[in-house]
Amino acid sequence: MSQIPSHKIATTAVDAWLRDFDNALQANDIQHALSLFGEECYWRDFLAFTWNLKTCEGKSDIQAMLSATLASVCPSDWQLEGEATDSGDTFDAWFTFKTAVSSGKGYLRLKQGKCWTLLTTMQALNDYPERRNHHRPKGAEHGANKNRETWLEAREREEAELGYTQQPYCVIIGGGQGGIGLGARLKQMGVPTIIIERNERAGDSWRKRYKSLCLHDPVWYDHLPYIPFPDSWPIFAPKDKVGDWLEMYTNVMELNYWSSTECQNAHFDEVAGEWVVNVTRNGEKVTLRPKQLVMATGMSGMPNVPTFPGAESFEGEQQHSSQHSGPDAYKGKKCVIIGANNSAHDIAAALWEHDADVTMLQRSSTHIVKSDSLMEEVLGPLYSEEAVANGITHDKADLIFASIPYKVLPDFHRPAFAAVKKRDATFYQKLEDAGFMLDFGDDESGLFLKYLRRGSGYYIDVGACDLVANGDIKLRSGVGIERINPRSITLTDGSEITADLIVYATGYGSMNGWAARLISQEVADKVGKCWGLGSDTTKDPGPWEGELRNMWKPTQQEALWFHGGNLHQSRHYSHYLALQLKARMEGLETPVYGLQPIHHKS
């Protein structure tokens, strides 16, 4: 008798679970639905049930969510998509479902027949499909028409009217990759939007950075919505190439992109239910009145520049890493980099290559992972040429990654980073022998958890670490700065470093700093800290949130949203933010379940 293949067993089990779950929800039998979950269980929902990005942890959380939402959501038609897989201790499967207003897609993991993790995502609004595939515009107007308006004339009319005689529904402040990707989503959904960018051209936020800057994440991880990079695109794109792509993308996607425009201030008009946004565009003052305002100033938007005694007396150059244009002017100069994360290593290596005398000042430990090791041990299963060959597109990879609740993500990542540590043991020993302070996160969970928790504290090594290990880049670690002198820096151990250039590679503040600057401190405090999970680890104070604070979801300030993150996050989460904005524009009911309380103001 032949043995039944494991994937057939998994498929049968998942199909039965989905049918049972579907019947329970349609019968409003919450207790039976709960019986289908294991004692340890997680339900992560993107909009479909909660109009929020919300993770329910445990049966009591799930019960409360279903009690509040089930009657209005009306979920139905839960269908297995493809075949399930047997992953050893779990059966994993894709599925689709419907709600009263949308179609959805999800990912399920069963342990011993019960749900361990469930992801549900809204994919499209039933009555408002995106203008693509079967709904794409015709483009040409066939027939004779004395009043014909060409594509170019219609585009020029839209550009002339929007923001002047016609108000946008949404204004996005920040025209980097985040604002551009979100703008493209909203364009496809028919939401009139203006993107505000103070630089002269789309992509300038990349072009104006230090000249050696490249993406540290691989190409498979970095696609923009709708238009993926071509198959010939380099694995790690140089900054100017990224800038040119963003400019091309802005034009091809026909975004209303106001370059050379700076937001002066904004406030929410409670009576009118709209924002009043005052901008200066090419020297002209313009007032916009959108219903929705998105801060897409990015995690790298508000430079964090520490203050040290005597800094005003320094006779050389001082600059934040975001202001550093490159190494050309510093041959033979003594350069001190304060910081030991991504930008610090990139800038230090480029200065060394141009014959500068470079010292890196490391005040706290840094997580280091070699680029090749990160790609092969951590990213490879989801974002690589091999993953694509196995049918895992970047959109599918995004959902698989999202299907892992943040509570258990460390358990997924510790084995991968333990493999990295073992694989590169000699490399790490050389760094420690040089005095470099290393860590793998507070709980050994590695790079991604550090990024999600605090957005800093790591470097993806592309060669600079060897320069630190062999002393080409000098290292001072475990000491602070006592004061800055006219031509040197006095450290807390009493030693002194001569300096012609000081680069503060000291990261960036919370995104709500831009809300404080452009709107008010009161609104920034009302919204609270952006980013972080509440993990109660270094620089990520509790209580536990379960999702990133205030990102891509409703905030305590009506009609104010935050959008940012790396290219992968900007691409994936822009979809859900755009759906939320579209639903509000069309007047759909969007009752938010689990609006995040505020525990930290900045």
Side-chain angles (χ1 to χ4, degrees):
M1 182 175 178
S2 62
Q3 188 174 9
I4 300 173
S6 63
H7 72 275
K8 293 292 186 184
I9 297 172
T11 298
T12 300
V14 169
D15 190 52
W17 190 95
L18 287 170
R19 280 188 278 109
D20 205 358
F21 192 55
D22 190 1
N23 291 334
L25 295 184
Q26 291 202 58
N28 200 31
D29 189 346
I30 293 175
Q31 288 307 311
H32 184 64
L34 291 173
S35 74
L36 301 174
F37 287 81
E39 288 307 308
E40 182 194 11
C41 55
Y42 305 88
W43 184 341
R44 193 177 193 199
D45 180 66
F46 291 174
L47 312 187
F49 280 72
T50 61
W51 285 108
N52 198 357
L53 306 185
K54 176 71 177 174
T55 298
C56 297
E57 300 178 358
K59 290 187 179 183
S60 60
D61 272 8
I62 293 170
Q63 180 175 7
M65 185 271 284
L66 285 176
S67 297
T69 64
L70 190 53
S72 61
V73 173
C74 304
S76 65
D77 200 21
W78 297 71
Q79 298 286 334
L80 178 66
E81 185 177 75
E83 291 192 316
T85 57
D86 182 349
S87 299
D89 62 341
T90 63
F91 293 162
D92 303 1
W94 295 98
F95 62 88
T96 58
F97 64 100
K98 296 176 182 176
T99 74
V101 299
S102 69
S103 59
K105 187 179 181 72
Y107 198 83
L108 170 68
R109 291 184 182 88
L110 297 183
K111 274 188 178 180
Q112 298 178 335
K114 303 283 189 178
C115 177
W116 176 42
T117 72
L118 178 66
L119 171 71
T120 49
T121 71
M122 181 183 292
Q123 289 295 303
L125 295 167
N126 294 338
D127 296 334
Y128 306 99
E130 289 191 43
R131 297 183 297 197
R132 56 183 179 137
N133 299 329
H134 293 296
H135 304 284
R136 70 174 78 219
K138 191 170 185 178
E141 180 191 351
H142 295 164
N145 182 356
K146 288 183 178 291
N147 298 313
R148 181 187 300 276
E149 185 180 47
T150 66
W151 165 83
L152 180 60
E153 289 167 339
R155 184 79 186 103
E156 289 174 339
R157 175 177 52 78
E158 180 185 13
E159 289 177 339
E161 292 176 352
L162 195 63
Y164 297 96
T165 60
Q166 302 289 330
Q167 285 300 314
Y169 180 76
C170 178
V171 164
I172 300 171
I173 299 177
Q177 70 264 16
I180 287 171
L182 177 60
R185 297 275 194 195
L186 292 169
K187 182 78 173 186
Q188 291 301 109
M189 293 184 188
V191 179
T193 301
I194 292 174
I195 303 169
I196 302 297
E197 172 57 44
R198 61 187 173 187
N199 282 313
E200 296 83 7
R201 296 163 57 196
D204 274 354
S205 55
W206 285 90
R207 292 188 191 94
K208 292 184 177 182
R209 296 294 302 278
Y210 53 91
K211 73 176 188 177
S212 63
L213 176 64
C214 288
L215 284 172
H216 287 188
D217 298 320
V219 61
W220 308 280
Y221 190 77
D222 293 333
H223 297 295
L224 270 65
Y226 308 115
I227 307 177
F229 294 117
D231 293 344
S232 59
W233 198 258
I235 294 174
F236 302 107
K239 71 178 183 71
D240 296 287
K241 198 169 181 65
V242 175
D244 289 348
W245 183 266
L246 291 173
E247 187 170 35
M248 176 281 297
Y249 185 93
T250 299
N251 292 329
V252 169
M253 296 303 293
E254 299 179 15
L255 307 185
N256 294 299
Y257 192 90
W258 284 18
S259 58
S260 299
T261 304
E262 189 160 3
C263 178
Q264 302 299 324
N265 54 70
H267 71 270
F268 189 66
D269 184 333
E270 300 279 355
V271 176
E274 63 190 21
W275 288 92
V276 179
V277 184
N278 295 306
V279 306
T280 303
R281 185 186 191 193
N282 294 314
E284 175 192 5
K285 294 185 185 302
V286 182
T287 297
L288 302 170
R289 299 188 73 97
K291 296 294 184 182
Q292 308 287 339
L293 183 64
V294 179
M295 306 294 290
T297 48
M299 282 187 64
S300 302
M302 184 70 73
N304 176 34
V305 181
T307 57
F308 297 110
E312 72 284 351
S313 71
F314 188 66
E315 295 173 359
E317 290 184 65
Q318 298 181 79
Q319 54 197 214
H320 187 263
S321 58
S322 60
Q323 302 164 320
H324 181 73
S325 60
D328 294 7
Y330 303 105
K331 181 176 182 178
K333 302 287 188 181
K334 294 187 178 296
C335 306
V336 177
I337 316 297
I338 300 173
N341 298 333
N342 268 336
S343 293
H345 279 86
D346 284 351
I347 292 170
L351 286 166
W352 176 85
E353 288 177 347
H354 284 71
D355 298 319
D357 182 312
V358 187
T359 300
M360 180 183 291
L361 181 58
Q362 184 190 29
R363 297 179 294 166
S364 59
S365 65
T366 307
H367 171 54
I368 303 290
V369 58
K370 293 174 75 70
S371 177
D372 288 349
S373 299
L374 180 67
M375 289 176 62
E376 293 172 24
E377 300 287 350
V378 185
L379 284 174
L382 293 182
Y383 300 97
S384 65
E385 210 69 69
E386 291 72 28
V388 173
N390 290 330
I392 303 178
T393 64
H394 59 274
D395 289 326
K396 185 174 282 191
D398 291 347
L399 286 170
I400 294 173
F401 190 78
S403 74
I404 306 170
Y406 286 141
K407 192 77 168 182
V408 297
L409 189 60
D411 296 332
F412 277 72
H413 279 212
R414 282 190 199 97
F417 283 96
V420 167
K421 184 184 287 190
K422 182 178 180 180
R423 165 180 170 151
D424 296 323
T426 302
F427 164 77
Y428 289 121
Q429 189 60 56
K430 286 180 179 178
L431 271 176
E432 289 189 311
D433 290 346
F436 196 89
M437 298 185 296
L438 287 168
D439 71 61
F440 272 74
D442 287 14
D443 56 358
E444 299 292 301
S445 57
L447 185 144
F448 289 101
L449 269 300
K450 253 203 165 186
Y451 172 69
L452 292 166
R453 290 164 174 171
R454 53 185 281 192
S456 64
Y458 54 85
Y459 169 55
I460 301 172
D461 179 44
V462 292
C465 283
D466 287 336
L467 299 175
V468 174
N470 64 26
D472 288 323
I473 294 173
K474 300 170 187 174
L475 176 69
R476 297 299 306 273
S477 61
V479 291
I481 294 175
E482 183 71 30
R483 64 173 290 108
I484 295 177
N485 310 306
R487 282 291 173 180
S488 65
I489 300 172
T490 302
L491 303 180
T492 50
D493 64 359
S495 62
E496 196 168 331
I497 306 173
T498 304
D500 300 303
L501 169 70
I502 301 173
V503 178
Y504 297 101
T506 45
Y508 299 84
S510 175
M511 284 179 65
N512 77 349
W514 279 107
R517 177 179 293 187
L518 299 177
I519 305 170
S520 69
Q521 188 63 53
E522 179 184 8
V523 167
D525 291 344
K526 182 179 179 181
V527 168
K529 181 180 176 68
C530 296
W531 209 260
L533 300 172
S535 63
D536 209 23
T537 57
T538 304
K539 295 189 178 181
D540 184 29
W544 177 249
E545 303 285 356
E547 293 288 340
L548 285 170
R549 299 183 187 95
N550 285 314
M551 298 303 300
W552 318 293
K553 60 184 179 180
T555 68
Q556 293 285 351
Q557 170 58 54
E558 182 183 353
L560 179 64
W561 311 79
F562 291 85
H563 178 59
N566 59 30
L567 280 158
H568 149 251
Q569 290 172 307
S570 291
R571 172 187 66 246
H572 186 214
Y573 290 100
S574 62
H575 179 54
Y576 306 110
L577 177 48
L579 282 169
Q580 292 173 83
L581 296 170
K582 174 65 172 179
R584 285 161 172 77
M585 188 185 85
E586 299 298 349
L588 298 181
E589 292 293 323
T590 56
V592 177
Y593 176 81
L595 183 65
Q596 178 194 303
I598 303 308
H599 301 289
H600 308 285
K601 292 184 178 180
S602 62

